[in-house]
Amino acid sequence: MLNAKHQAEEYARALPASHGWPPFILVCDVGHCIEVYADFSGSGRAYSHFPDRKGFRIRLEDLRRQDVQDRLRAIWTEP
């Protein structure tokens, strides 16, 4: 998953400068989990666990929980 995070950061780095850095990076281990990282500085240098080190990893069974669904929805609709 660490390699996937680095790959996602490289994709973000390749975006046009006018686009700016995405506030979130999500990486997925298909069939297992999604990990969420955020950098609200806009620098692309400080992606860290979101919402925290305890809750950044969303296991597939967690997708049944309303709070997890709401968090993912907000990432896409209200970053």
Side-chain angles (χ1 to χ4, degrees):
M1 291 295 280
L2 191 56
N3 287 340
K5 180 183 181 237
H6 291 303
Q7 184 177 7
E9 289 171 331
E10 289 298 317
Y11 289 146
R13 191 171 286 115
L15 292 169
S18 61
H19 186 276
W21 288 88
F24 293 99
I25 287 178
L26 283 76
V27 295
C28 179
D29 182 353
V30 176
H32 180 64
C33 69
I34 300 167
E35 293 182 355
V36 183
Y37 300 90
D39 177 6
F40 298 115
S41 73
S43 71
R45 292 186 170 89
Y47 285 103
S48 60
H49 304 100
F50 181 85
D52 52 40
R53 284 180 100 30
K54 185 178 176 185
F56 82 105
R57 183 173 292 124
I58 302 168
R59 296 188 189 334
L60 289 185
E61 57 269 15
D62 296 336
L63 292 173
R64 294 183 181 118
R65 295 182 13 213
Q66 188 63 47
D67 63 317
V68 171
Q69 293 172 22
D70 293 343
R71 183 181 344 145
L72 289 172
R73 184 177 299 106
I75 286 171
W76 293 106
T77 61
E78 302 174 42

